[in-house]
Amino acid sequence: MSPIEKIFKEIFGYAPEKSGTAFERLASIASYIIQEGEVFHDEKLRGHFSNTLYQLDIYGESKDTSIMGEAKDYSLQSKKVGRGDLQKLGGALPDLKDIDAGVFYSATEYTSPAKKYAESAEEILGKPITLWQLRPGTELDEEGFVKTVVVKIHVNMPQPEKGRWLPHFTENGMSAVKALAKRGEERINYQLGLSHFYDSYGNEALSLHDLTLEGYGGIDSDTGKSHGCFILKNHYIKISGILAEIHGMEFEVPYEKYTEELRITDDSGHRFVLVDKNGKVSRFLTDKNLREFDFDENGRVVRK
């Protein structure tokens, strides 16, 4: 069992009977992630000119293109993929009329002749060949990769219950309030539980909650408070059962400041990396990523 097959079994809980199938399936998932569209493992297509029936490790269809792919796992032999491996792919490409490009996945590196063959494929074959290395990740691959993102959220939370609320009465409203005074009293003290505003018939017309849904405006940097006035034409408040008409409500609302820290950590092991022809890590494939996929009875890659 190759190193790739051992990791495949650890992730998926089984190992395919046929040697090489595990890597082909991993490459099919990688192809699906890169290309999207539909991807099939172990597909067969008949050649347009030769009528030969070709076995494709990977067949992918997207909106704009269709690809065929080969996958080789030489990790057990520690052997590089050579030009001869690519020529099998190169021989099929011109014969498969509906295929636009070839893709090769290797669990090991490529020889220089193999790389040169892929670079000249479009000129020689009329169709390009893209090389990918799909291998287990190392600590070196993760250098420069951000594993933890720390987000500090600074919040100014309004405290309306600690605020100052001052009604501005109309002349009629002021007269209604004055009528509450007993004969000879020069000062009226009253307490108001402010939760609703009313119409002239005493019906609830607007709640304080709905009035303040959009907040209290800007915060004064000097006082740390919001100050303003809600205009409430034809609205009333109840004072000791009496309806008093107001122009609006002036307010001054303080705020409490606090900081919340959010940590987003990727602590999953990067089991595989996808490396482009220049040796640059293009994508990490974790256990969690790979377990999101399966294959139906036709070899189609599907998300669980």
Side-chain angles (χ1 to χ4, degrees):
M1 184 178 289
S2 77
I4 299 293
E5 290 169 329
K6 290 179 181 178
I7 298 175
F8 186 96
K9 186 175 181 180
E10 289 176 8
I11 295 173
F12 295 101
Y14 72 95
E17 293 183 6
K18 183 181 176 183
S19 177
T21 299
F23 185 69
E24 291 171 7
R25 291 202 162 196
L26 289 170
S28 298
I29 293 172
S31 187
Y32 179 92
I33 293 172
I34 294 170
Q35 179 182 334
E36 296 187 342
E38 290 193 320
V39 173
F40 296 82
H41 167 244
D42 195 19
E43 184 72 358
K44 292 179 174 59
L45 290 181
R46 192 166 295 280
H48 179 72
F49 302 104
S50 69
N51 204 36
T52 300
L53 187 63
Y54 293 96
Q55 184 274 329
L56 280 59
D57 292 341
I58 302 161
Y59 171 64
E61 292 179 337
S62 66
K63 182 179 179 181
D64 302 318
T65 187
S66 60
I67 61 101
M68 67 169 292
E70 285 287 309
K72 287 293 181 186
D73 176 16
Y74 288 150
S75 59
L76 187 61
Q77 304 94 320
S78 297
K79 171 186 171 184
K80 293 183 178 181
V81 166
R83 179 188 175 106
D85 295 302
L86 266 68
Q87 284 179 320
K88 178 187 175 184
L89 177 65
L93 276 174
D95 198 18
L96 295 171
K97 184 179 179 182
D98 295 330
I99 297 295
D100 300 306
V103 183
F104 204 104
Y105 291 90
S106 173
T108 56
E109 295 182 353
Y110 294 88
T111 64
S112 294
K115 292 177 182 178
K116 289 179 181 179
Y117 182 82
E119 288 172 0
S120 58
E122 189 161 14
E123 182 180 351
I124 297 172
L125 307 171
K127 297 177 183 181
I129 295 177
T130 301
L131 301 183
W132 290 104
Q133 187 183 5
L134 180 62
R135 59 169 173 76
T138 65
E139 289 185 7
L140 187 62
D141 293 323
E142 295 184 11
E143 286 188 1
F145 176 74
V146 178
K147 298 202 73 172
T148 301
V149 177
V150 179
V151 181
K152 288 190 175 181
I153 306 170
H154 301 282
V155 179
N156 285 322
M157 183 65 70
Q159 305 294 313
E161 70 281 0
K162 298 180 181 179
R164 177 174 173 267
W165 296 83
L166 179 65
H168 286 262
F169 295 102
T170 64
E171 289 186 10
N172 290 336
M174 187 61 71
S175 297
V177 172
K178 288 180 179 179
L180 293 172
K182 296 179 181 179
R183 183 177 297 179
E185 289 182 340
E186 295 182 357
R187 182 182 179 88
I188 305 172
N189 292 318
Y190 61 87
Q191 291 185 350
L192 173 66
L194 183 63
S195 61
H196 289 83
F197 301 93
Y198 303 87
D199 62 20
S200 59
Y201 298 101
N203 301 312
E204 292 181 358
L206 177 67
S207 70
L208 182 62
H209 175 267
D210 289 340
L211 177 66
T212 58
L213 275 178
E214 296 184 7
Y216 304 92
I219 303 173
D220 189 297
S221 58
D222 295 327
T223 65
K225 300 177 181 179
S226 290
H227 183 269
C229 185
F230 292 113
I231 305 302
L232 296 168
K233 187 178 180 180
N234 298 324
H235 282 70
Y236 296 75
I237 59 175
K238 283 185 178 180
I239 304 172
S240 299
I242 300 297
L243 287 174
E245 187 180 21
I246 59 174
H247 288 299
M249 290 291 295
E250 185 180 355
F251 63 86
E252 186 178 77
V253 175
Y255 288 75
E256 287 188 5
K257 295 181 180 180
Y258 69 92
T259 300
E260 190 74 32
E261 185 174 282
L262 176 65
R263 289 180 174 266
I264 305 170
T265 301
D266 180 6
D267 55 3
S268 58
H270 293 136
R271 304 303 293 273
F272 288 94
V273 290
L274 195 60
V275 183
D276 66 18
K277 65 177 182 179
N278 299 315
K280 182 180 178 182
V281 174
S282 175
R283 193 180 295 265
F284 292 100
L285 300 179
T286 67
D287 292 7
K288 181 179 178 182
N289 296 146
L290 294 169
R291 289 194 186 103
E292 292 177 359
F293 299 94
D294 202 350
F295 297 82
D296 67 14
E297 64 277 8
N298 297 314
R300 186 201 312 265
V301 179
V302 292
R303 283 188 181 272
K304 292 182 181 178

